[in-house]
Amino acid sequence: KCRTGPLDIVFVIDSSRSVRPFEFETMRQFMMDIIGSLDVGPNATRVGVIQYSSQVQNIFSLKTFFTRADMEKAINGIIPLAQGTMTGLAIQYAMNVAFTTQEGARPPHKKIPRIAIIVTDGRPQDRVTEGAPQARNAGIEIYAVGIQRADMNSLRAMASPPLEEHVFLVESFELIQQFGKQFQDKLCGVDMCVEQEHGCQHSCVSTPSSFYCECNPGYRLNVDGKTCSPIDACADGRHGCQHQCVSARGSYSCHCHAGYYLNQDKRTCSMIDYCSFGNHSCQHECVSIPNGHYCRCRSGLDNLVPLACVPATDLCNGVDHGCEFKCVSTEGSYRCVCPEGQQLQADGKACSKCGAGHVDLVMVIDGSKSVRPQNFELVKQFVNRIVDLLEVSPHGTRVGLVQYSSRVRTEFPLNKYHSADEIKAAVMDVEYMEKGTMTGLALKHMVEHSFSELEGARPPSHNIPRIGLVFTDGRSQDDISEWARRAKESGIVMFAVGVGKAVEEELRAIASEPVEQHFSYSADFTTMTHLVENFKLNICPEESKGETEIRSPCECEALVQFQTNTVAILQSLTEKNILWACSLAQMTARLEDLEKQIADKK
């Protein structure tokens, strides 16, 4: 087989009346013999066939077939045109149509060789001296194969230099099959990237007599011609970012500091108005600051407690309690509590973590336009609170993040960061995408890329649970059923969290069995406390097989805690709403009591 790298090959076959039927059969066999030696496929060698006489007919283009069987079937179905010999016209068609990207040719920047194999048995009835040089200048390498009555001068005018390697004259049609075997060796050549120690850091590209090194997108080749360096698109200082410029693969993006969101111009930043969320519970005035908000009384009054209207007995809102997870007020005091499955440490504030349980967790968050910048900041807080409760390390839990809208973007893969602090910093730098809601495309990306070993997922033989958490706020604009099914069939435990206009049917399709314990819904971003009970399913296998067995209670508990803690975070994020509701109820009761006392006095 010819395995020197991908090629784009188009056969240009003479089917004029001078080619008799039995002779045309040998030309069919010649094409099939050549194709049989090629490694064909969409990412390997692509093949097209055109025939010509007084006109040109496309048999199949470079994008039509990617298997030898389909190509051979189409070649066997060719009916010769049996008219004149317009070879120049055929060359023009190959250049203007057959070798275009619309017809399946790879773009020039990919440097895939474009090869035209012209097989003819006579003298052209039009001029080839104009079209052939244009085709060669367009990057098409032309082999001219003449049979029996072919004109040698015309063959030389068509072919690429050096002529001794691109011009062939076969004495008869009976010898073309034998010639085909020799031509295969000429076409394939030697893969210099395999034959030599190339030393290329990224990729090696073989040429007929040598090779050269190429860099991946976003990198440039160093002066040594072998190693690559990332292109720093921020270095020239022309990015215009108000806060921070982040270079990535030859491009850049502007990021904002914590507490700010990126404006539509993608360069300037505005402070998040936390007071506009409507959950501040301030009695008088709410004042936004970069990392949150505080309450302020009108002139002449003092804050007795942060929210003023919260009873003084609620010490959790009146003191710096320092609880790692949650503070619970008691009569005249308070205490710290931990999520289910964790124990309070000796300091009365910190929570124990089950460090032996390992998971590969990929969170897929909706960045569509309907989410809005303020709510997207809540989603980022939600992600970071999950990270706070995980034992992140290269050999422990790994975390990846994907954002999607009309397209999908890996914010960071599973093998990018090795500590919770690194992940949380990266999450805060995530730029809101806006636009559409292609949840199906995001699921496809997660299955094909996010959980690949290339991006840091542990091999299935290690029995590290793979967990996908999809967070969306609306109906998907594409089909989700196929990739939701493939995700679960590939062993990914899927959780679906829907907010606002999310569609329950789609959430259920995403979620693993039992569905009721793997999907949740809330009316808006600030009232998600009822999701707590939906994540209590123990997904730890009773007995696993392979190199690593998950049997210890701590390992199992870690998986249980992922489900419980995820929604506990949602509960914590909206704790102020609960306090506000409780405080409002207490205020109402007080007013009713005062009204009753006034009525009694009257």
Side-chain angles (χ1 to χ4, degrees):
K1 300 297 182 184
C2 180
R3 300 188 182 276
T4 59
L7 306 170
D8 285 343
I9 298 177
V10 174
F11 288 94
V12 184
I13 303 301
D14 181 355
S15 64
S16 58
R17 67 173 62 91
S18 62
V19 180
R20 289 169 288 185
F22 75 90
E23 294 175 336
F24 193 80
E25 293 305 313
T26 63
M27 295 172 73
R28 287 189 212 267
Q29 191 59 49
F30 169 73
M31 287 188 285
M32 290 190 287
D33 287 344
I34 298 298
I35 292 172
S37 70
L38 302 173
D39 182 19
V40 298
N43 298 317
T45 292
R46 300 182 182 182
V47 178
V49 175
I50 61 177
Q51 69 165 333
Y52 72 94
S53 60
S54 298
Q55 61 190 45
V56 182
Q57 181 185 38
N58 181 46
I59 305 302
F60 58 86
S61 64
L62 292 167
K63 66 180 181 181
T64 306
F65 301 123
F66 297 117
T67 67
R68 296 186 188 88
D70 289 337
M71 293 176 186
E72 290 178 1
K73 182 178 179 181
I75 290 171
N76 283 323
I78 298 175
I79 299 175
L81 298 172
Q83 296 174 356
T85 311
M86 304 293 284
T87 310
L89 180 66
I91 294 174
Q92 288 283 355
Y93 181 91
M95 178 179 64
N96 296 330
V97 180
F99 280 109
T100 61
T101 54
Q102 292 83 356
E103 290 297 303
R106 265 71 66 97
H109 72 267
K110 292 193 173 182
K111 297 183 179 179
I112 305 297
R114 297 180 174 185
I115 297 175
I117 303 174
I118 303 173
V119 184
T120 181
D121 82 323
R123 182 188 298 274
Q125 294 176 336
D126 58 353
R127 299 182 66 178
V128 298
T129 53
E130 294 180 3
Q134 293 176 358
R136 295 194 298 266
N137 291 337
I140 301 172
E141 185 178 3
I142 301 177
Y143 287 88
V145 180
I147 304 174
Q148 204 164 289
R149 300 170 290 273
D151 176 59
M152 176 58 78
N153 290 331
S154 299
L155 297 177
R156 295 172 65 87
M158 290 185 279
S160 296
L163 297 179
E164 61 271 18
E165 294 184 7
H166 292 83
V167 177
F168 304 94
L169 184 61
V170 183
E171 292 180 2
S172 67
F173 282 93
E174 289 79 6
L175 297 176
I176 193 170
Q177 189 170 2
Q178 180 180 349
F179 161 74
K181 293 182 173 60
Q182 300 172 357
F183 187 75
Q184 290 171 18
D185 296 335
K186 178 67 67 176
L187 185 64
C188 291
V190 176
D191 189 344
M192 301 301 290
C193 290
V194 175
E195 295 295 321
Q196 297 185 13
E197 185 65 34
H198 54 77
C200 299
Q201 182 179 359
H202 284 182
S203 59
C204 174
V205 179
S206 181
T207 62
S209 60
S210 184
F211 68 88
Y212 62 89
C213 298
E214 276 191 345
C215 296
N216 296 335
Y219 293 81
R220 62 169 174 267
L221 197 65
N222 294 327
V223 293
D224 61 6
K226 296 181 181 295
T227 59
C228 302
S229 297
I231 299 172
D232 186 358
C234 297
D236 59 11
R238 295 181 295 177
H239 49 78
C241 298
Q242 182 180 359
H243 284 185
Q244 183 183 7
C245 176
V246 178
S247 180
R249 295 185 179 182
S251 183
Y252 70 89
S253 60
C254 297
H255 291 196
C256 297
H257 298 324
Y260 292 79
Y261 66 89
L262 198 64
N263 295 322
Q264 290 187 349
D265 62 8
K266 304 300 183 185
R267 284 175 169 76
T268 60
C269 301
S270 296
M271 189 174 73
I272 297 169
D273 184 3
Y274 289 96
C275 294
S276 68
F277 296 171
N279 62 343
H280 52 75
S281 305
C282 297
Q283 185 180 18
H284 287 179
E285 298 176 5
C286 174
V287 180
S288 288
I289 57 177
N291 291 314
H293 74 277
Y294 66 90
C295 296
R296 182 171 63 192
C297 293
R298 287 192 289 270
S299 178
L301 298 175
D302 293 323
N303 287 78
L304 297 179
V305 291
L307 301 181
C309 61
V310 177
T313 54
D314 187 359
L315 293 181
C316 288
N317 275 299
V319 298
D320 183 11
H321 52 75
C323 297
E324 178 181 337
F325 178 69
K326 184 178 179 182
C327 175
V328 177
S329 290
T330 59
E331 188 65 32
S333 184
Y334 69 90
R335 61 186 175 89
C336 298
V337 297
C338 295
E340 182 180 346
Q342 295 191 25
Q343 293 182 346
L344 199 64
Q345 295 293 286
D347 63 2
K349 299 180 184 294
C351 299
S352 66
K353 297 180 182 178
C354 185
H358 311 322
V359 298
D360 285 342
L361 166 65
V362 174
M363 288 178 275
V364 182
I365 58 175
D366 185 347
S368 60
K369 188 174 183 180
S370 60
V371 174
R372 297 186 301 175
Q374 296 94 330
N375 289 331
F376 190 72
E377 292 300 315
L378 286 179
V379 174
K380 288 160 67 172
Q381 292 180 35
F382 162 69
V383 170
N384 275 351
R385 293 297 296 275
I386 291 177
V387 174
D388 278 334
L389 295 174
L390 299 172
E391 290 287 357
V392 178
S393 70
H395 301 293
T397 290
R398 299 182 182 179
V399 179
L401 183 65
V402 172
Q403 184 188 173
Y404 73 95
S405 58
S406 299
R407 55 190 177 88
V408 185
R409 182 172 70 208
T410 296
E411 300 295 352
F412 52 84
L414 288 165
N415 57 5
K416 176 71 172 179
Y417 299 114
H418 304 312
S419 71
D421 288 341
E422 289 179 311
I423 291 174
K424 290 167 64 178
V427 170
M428 293 309 300
D429 286 338
V430 169
E431 180 184 347
Y432 177 38
M433 295 175 72
E434 300 189 56
K435 298 189 178 179
T437 310
M438 303 292 281
T439 311
L441 185 65
L443 290 170
K444 180 177 185 290
H445 181 91
M446 181 194 71
V447 173
E448 293 185 338
H449 301 286
S450 302
F451 282 108
S452 67
E453 293 181 33
L454 182 65
E455 295 204 358
R458 268 72 68 93
S461 61
H462 288 191
N463 284 328
I464 303 297
R466 296 181 173 183
I467 298 176
L469 173 62
V470 179
F471 196 105
T472 181
D473 88 319
R475 180 184 294 275
S476 177
Q477 294 174 326
D478 60 351
D479 179 62
I480 64 156
S481 57
E482 178 182 357
W483 288 101
R485 174 181 56 80
R486 289 197 188 186
K488 290 174 281 191
E489 287 178 351
S490 67
I492 303 170
V493 179
M494 294 298 301
F495 291 91
V497 177
V499 182
K501 296 182 180 180
V503 179
E504 180 177 343
E505 180 184 354
E506 293 184 352
L507 297 176
R508 289 178 172 272
I510 293 171
S512 292
E513 295 288 346
V515 172
E516 296 298 333
Q517 296 177 352
H518 287 80
F519 98 95
S520 301
Y521 172 80
S522 181
D524 60 59
F525 284 86
T526 59
T527 57
M528 298 185 284
T529 56
H530 69 278
L531 303 179
V532 176
E533 295 302 319
N534 292 358
F535 287 89
K536 290 186 177 179
L537 174 66
N538 187 343
I539 61 170
C540 181
E542 294 180 1
E543 183 175 356
S544 58
K545 300 176 181 178
E547 296 178 16
T548 304
E549 294 190 345
I550 304 176
R551 292 182 175 177
S552 74
C554 192
E555 289 172 313
C556 294
E557 188 64 26
L559 297 175
V560 177
Q561 287 171 18
F562 167 75
Q563 301 169 3
T564 305
N565 295 347
T566 298
V567 179
I569 290 164
L570 297 176
Q571 181 183 22
S572 178
L573 286 175
T574 58
E575 193 68 38
K576 290 183 179 180
N577 270 3
I578 299 174
L579 290 173
W580 177 84
C582 293
S583 300
L584 182 61
Q586 293 166 355
M587 289 279 295
T588 303
R590 284 185 182 181
L591 289 172
E592 291 175 351
D593 186 51
L594 287 171
E595 289 174 354
K596 183 177 180 182
Q597 292 178 26
I598 293 170
D600 290 344
K601 287 180 180 180
K602 288 181 178 180

